[in-house]
Amino acid sequence: MTENHERDAGSEPTESDFVDYGIDERPPLGESILLGVQHYLTMVGANIAVPLILAGALGMPEPLWPRFIGTFFVVSGIATLAQTTLGNRYPIVQGAPFSMLAPALAVVGVVQATNPTGMADWRAALLGLQGAIIVASLFEVAIGYFGLLGRLRRYLSPVVIGPTIALIGLSLFDAPQVTAATQNWPLLFVTLALITLFSQYLDSRSRVFALFPVLLGVVAAYALAVALSLAGVYAPGTSGYVDVTGIFEAPAVVVPYPLQWGMPQFEASLAIGMLAGVGASIIESFGDYHAVARLSGVGAPSEKRIDHGIGMEGLMNVFSGLMGASGSTSYSENIGAIGLTGVASRYVVQVGAVVMVGVGFVGYFGAAIRSIPDPVVGGLYVAMFGQIVAVGLSNLKYVDLDSSRNIYVIGVSLFAGLAVPAYMGNVAAAAPDGMGGAAFFRQSLANVAVVGPVLGTKLVADTVYVIGGTGMAVGGLVAFVLDNTIEGTRAERGLEAWAEIAEDEGDFRTAFERFGADDTDPVKGD
C-alpha cells in the first residue's frame, strides 16, 4: 500500500483508511488502464441489462441492437468523464440506471398502446421516451445547480432512501428473462451458481474472483450455452440457444450520435411520469455519494458537492436522452469495487471511461452482448437485482431499527411499492382488446364520482398510471410523507449519523472555482 495519501482538506479519515490509491493519486498509465477496465467490468453486467430489457420491450429490430447497446456504453463513458472532471469529482462510474427503467417501461407501454404518429411502434415509443427523459432531466439539473437537494437533505433520511433503492430491484423481479414460461432453468441456475461461487465462496482465494465474479459467471455460462448450441442440445428458437453467426454479421463499427433515432417527442404526462425515475435516481445517487466517500477514506459529501453531482447527472441525462439511451446515474457496483480493490483514484476511473467510449463504437461488441441467451441474462438479473435490493437496505444501518415508527414507515412503503404497481398491472391486463392499460385506467377514473372530470383527464390519469406503475416512486413518496410527518428524532431517523461524517462546505471547490487556484490552495486537488 502507498502511504500518506492526499485527502480533502478538513476531512477526517473514516473506516476505510486503507486505500491503495487515493482520490487524487495517479498510478502509471499502463496500470491505470488495467485498473480502469476492472472498474468498468464490475458494472458491465448492469450496463448491458438495461438496454437488453428496453430493446426487448420496445420490439426494436434485432439488426439495430448493436448500435443501441453501443450507445449506452458511449453515454456511460462520457458521463463518467463529465462527473469526475466537472461534477462532484468522486471516483464514481456513471451508467444506465435501473431506477429509471421501470418508468421507462411504463412510458413505452403508454406510447405503444396509443401510438398516433403512424411510425413503427418501437420508434414512436423510443422517441416518446427520449422526450420524457430530456424534460424530466431538466428538473434534475435545476434541483442540483439551484441547491434544492442540499436544502432538502434534512428531509431525506435513510428511512426514505433505503426502501426506495430496494424497490428498484424488487420492482424488476418478474422480468421475462427470469419468469418466462419457457425458461431454461438449468442454464439460469448454472449462471447464478457460478456468480455466487466466485463472489461468495472463492472471493478470498484470488482477487480475480473477488473483482470479476459477474463477468466470470456470465462468460462461463455463455460458453456453456454456445457449446450446447453447437452440439445440437439447444435447437434454434429454444431458450438457451446462441446464434454465433449473428455476431460476425454485425457491422464492425457502429457510430452512435445525437438524434440518431429521430426527433424526440414531448408529452407532459410522460415527462411527469419519468420524474418518478429521475427522483429515485437522485435519491440513489445521494446514498452512493456517501458510500463512495466512506470507502475512499474521505469525509461524507457536503451539500455543495452533492448539488454539483446531481446537477451534472441531470446534464448527462439530457445528453443521454438526445443520444437515445435511457439515462445515466452513479453505479453502486463501482463503489463496491473500491472497497474490494482499494483503488479510489479518480484518474483510474477516467482512463476506464475513455476505454468504454471506444468499446461503444465496436459493432461486434454490441452483437456479442445481444447474443447472450435469456437464461444467462436471467441468472445475471437475479444476482444484480438482488444486490440492488441489498444496497438499499444497507442504508438502514444508520437508523434505529428498534424504533416502531421506523419499522412502520419502512414496512408500509415497501408493501405499497409492490402492491400499487401490481394493481396497475392488473388494470392493464383487464383492459379490453384494442384499449391499452393507460386508456382503461383513464376511463375508470373518469367514472369516479365528483372528481372524475379531473382525474379522468389524459394528463392526470396518465401521470398517475405511470407513477403508480413505478415501485420506487410509490414507495419513496409514501416513505417521504410518513417519515416527515410521524414524530421521530434526528438520531432515530439516522440523520445525525450522516451529519457526523460530513465534510466541511469549504472542502469542495466547483470546476469554476478551481480555475485560477494557485499552488498553495489547500484543496487544489479537488
Side-chain angles (χ1 to χ4, degrees):
M1 292 185 194
T2 57
E3 301 294 338
N4 302 320
H5 297 157
E6 296 179 40
R7 303 188 182 281
D8 293 343
S11 320
E12 293 298 328
T14 66
E15 59 191 288
S16 296
D17 187 20
F18 56 78
V19 291
D20 287 321
Y21 290 110
I23 288 181
D24 297 317
E25 293 185 294
R26 295 191 174 200
L29 179 59
E31 185 176 348
S32 292
I33 292 175
L34 294 177
L35 292 172
V37 170
Q38 284 182 341
H39 262 290
Y40 264 90
L41 288 177
T42 62
M43 53 76 71
V44 69
N47 207 43
I48 66 174
V50 174
L52 286 175
I53 293 175
L54 193 55
L58 287 166
M60 177 180 284
E62 292 198 11
L64 297 177
W65 284 44
R67 177 150 60 108
F68 189 58
I69 294 170
T71 299
F72 277 74
F73 282 92
V74 171
V75 169
S76 174
I78 292 176
T80 300
L81 289 172
Q83 185 69 276
T84 57
T85 305
L86 302 174
N88 59 30
R89 290 177 58 78
Y90 276 146
I92 190 167
V93 170
Q94 308 290 293
F98 284 111
S99 53
M100 294 174 67
L101 180 57
L105 294 175
V107 167
V108 167
V110 169
V111 176
Q112 290 185 337
T114 60
N115 183 9
T117 64
M119 65 180 71
D121 282 352
W122 74 267
R123 187 181 296 275
L126 181 54
L127 295 180
L129 175 60
Q130 288 183 242
I133 289 173
I134 291 170
V135 174
S137 299
L138 291 175
F139 284 91
E140 184 176 17
V141 174
I143 288 171
Y145 288 123
F146 286 133
L148 299 182
L149 185 63
R151 297 190 185 101
L152 288 174
R153 185 170 68 164
R154 71 196 67 176
Y155 304 109
L156 291 171
S157 76
V159 178
V160 177
I161 290 174
T164 302
I165 297 176
L167 283 164
I168 294 171
L170 291 174
S171 65
L172 296 168
F173 77 94
D174 59 349
Q177 290 86 352
V178 178
T179 59
T182 57
Q183 179 62 271
N184 183 332
W185 286 106
L187 186 56
L188 184 149
F189 284 136
V190 166
T191 306
L192 179 60
L194 287 170
I195 293 175
T196 304
L197 176 67
F198 295 134
S199 66
Q200 304 302 321
Y201 295 101
L202 300 179
D203 57 320
S204 60
R205 303 290 183 89
S206 169
R207 292 188 71 191
V208 173
F209 297 140
L211 285 171
F212 310 128
V214 172
L215 183 70
L216 291 172
V218 169
V219 169
Y222 179 74
L224 175 62
V226 170
L228 294 175
S229 299
L230 294 176
V233 177
Y234 294 156
T238 62
S239 181
Y241 177 77
V242 180
D243 180 14
V244 293
T245 60
I247 299 175
F248 303 101
E249 293 173 355
V253 177
V254 294
V255 183
Y257 56 89
L259 306 181
Q260 58 187 319
W261 312 112
M263 185 61 64
Q265 303 296 306
F266 301 96
E267 186 171 336
S269 61
L270 301 182
I272 293 173
M274 186 52 63
L275 279 172
V278 170
S281 174
I282 290 173
I283 294 175
E284 182 181 9
S285 295
F286 180 83
D288 285 343
Y289 296 170
H290 284 77
V292 73
R294 185 171 67 253
L295 289 172
S296 299
V298 297
S302 62
E303 290 186 11
K304 192 176 185 182
R305 192 190 293 270
I306 291 171
D307 287 332
H308 278 74
I310 296 302
M312 182 55 66
E313 286 195 21
L315 289 176
M316 290 300 99
N317 274 329
V318 172
F319 171 67
S320 177
L322 293 172
M323 290 290 290
S326 65
S328 177
T329 193
S330 301
Y331 256 45
S332 302
E333 292 84 354
N334 155 245
I335 298 170
I338 293 175
L340 288 171
T341 66
V343 178
S345 168
R346 180 192 306 117
Y347 175 71
V348 162
V349 172
Q350 291 167 339
V351 171
V354 173
V355 174
M356 197 54 53
V357 171
V359 165
F361 289 91
V362 180
Y364 296 140
F365 175 79
I369 296 300
R370 171 65 189 95
S371 72
I372 300 175
D374 281 352
V376 175
V377 176
L380 168 65
Y381 287 175
V382 173
M384 298 304 300
F385 294 166
Q387 184 181 28
I388 292 171
V389 174
V391 167
L393 296 179
S394 69
N395 286 280
L396 299 179
K397 72 177 184 178
Y398 296 106
V399 311
D400 180 6
L401 291 178
D402 291 326
S403 165
S404 61
R405 61 92 64 189
N406 287 346
I407 296 299
Y408 183 83
V409 173
I410 294 166
V412 170
S413 60
L414 283 172
F415 190 92
L418 294 173
V420 175
Y423 164 74
M424 294 299 180
N426 290 335
V427 169
D433 292 341
M435 178 182 287
F440 185 57
F441 181 69
R442 189 186 318 135
Q443 184 184 78
S444 65
L445 287 182
N447 296 326
V448 176
V450 183
V451 293
V454 175
L455 295 178
T457 61
K458 181 172 175 41
L459 175 62
V460 174
D462 285 358
T463 299
V464 173
Y465 182 76
V466 172
I467 293 178
T470 308
M472 78 285 297
V474 175
L477 286 171
V478 171
F480 179 83
V481 172
L482 293 178
D483 186 49
N484 286 283
T485 55
I486 299 175
E487 184 178 357
T489 66
R490 287 177 54 83
E492 188 178 10
R493 299 166 60 201
L495 289 169
E496 286 191 358
W498 272 357
E500 290 174 359
I501 58 174
E503 66 181 348
D504 294 334
E505 289 298 319
D507 291 345
F508 172 72
R509 283 182 178 269
T510 68
F512 299 104
E513 291 170 339
R514 290 197 316 274
F515 293 141
D518 58 38
D519 292 338
T520 62
D521 190 333
V523 291
K524 65 178 181 178
D526 194 33

